[in-house]
Amino acid sequence: QVQLAESGGGSVQAGGSLSLSCSVSGWMYGRHCMGWLRQAPGKEREGVAYIGSDGRITYADSVNGRFTISADNSENTLYLQMNSLEPEDTAMYYCAADSSPFFCTVVPGSQRDFDYWGQGTQVTVSS
């Protein structure tokens, strides 16, 4: 089974930056959808940024322009560069993936049902 492991979380002051990484093991090259999602205490889990095997990228409106998702297929690694962080970005961040390239789009008020999930990495932004 595919396994994902996030890293790079931590605490940062508002306006700062963090870079998250997700190592994918047992991942076969091919069609896929990968993404970053987050969940804050007492809030619903939401999609942050998704990237498909065709290179299409979508972002949640709340992070658009501040976050950048990318994938290094040669290293089987997913990245999330987070700039201009705000306290509202505080959450547990998860990477996720599956072998379907369809519906690989962030949809407000919903989340994609990825097949594989990491255990999460905490991001805390203080004001």
Side-chain angles (χ1 to χ4, degrees):
Q1 181 174 309
V2 173
Q3 294 182 327
L4 311 177
E6 304 94 338
S7 62
S11 299
V12 65
Q13 187 175 350
S17 299
L18 284 174
S19 182
L20 306 183
S21 299
C22 174
S23 177
V24 182
S25 63
W27 185 256
M28 294 184 294
Y29 183 83
R31 289 177 170 268
H32 62 263
C33 180
M34 298 186 291
W36 290 95
L37 304 93
R38 67 186 183 185
Q39 185 169 25
K43 299 182 66 177
E44 298 177 348
R45 184 168 58 189
E46 63 177 348
V48 174
Y50 299 163
I51 182 170
S53 52
D54 60 358
R56 183 178 182 183
I57 294 172
T58 59
Y59 297 95
D61 289 340
S62 60
V63 307
N64 192 30
R66 300 186 297 116
F67 291 10
T68 302
I69 187 173
S70 62
D72 186 337
N73 291 330
S74 66
E75 297 182 352
N76 291 332
T77 304
L78 183 69
Y79 302 96
L80 184 67
Q81 179 64 46
M82 304 184 294
N83 298 325
S84 301
L85 284 163
E86 304 169 352
E88 292 77 13
D89 296 317
T90 295
M92 184 73 73
Y93 283 72
Y94 301 88
C95 65
D98 63 39
S99 61
S100 175
F102 302 110
F103 303 105
C104 194
T105 304
V106 174
V107 178
S110 182
Q111 65 171 322
R112 191 177 186 274
D113 291 329
F114 290 92
D115 291 334
Y116 309 106
W117 293 80
Q119 64 184 37
T121 184
Q122 179 68 40
V123 172
T124 302
V125 184
S126 62
S127 60

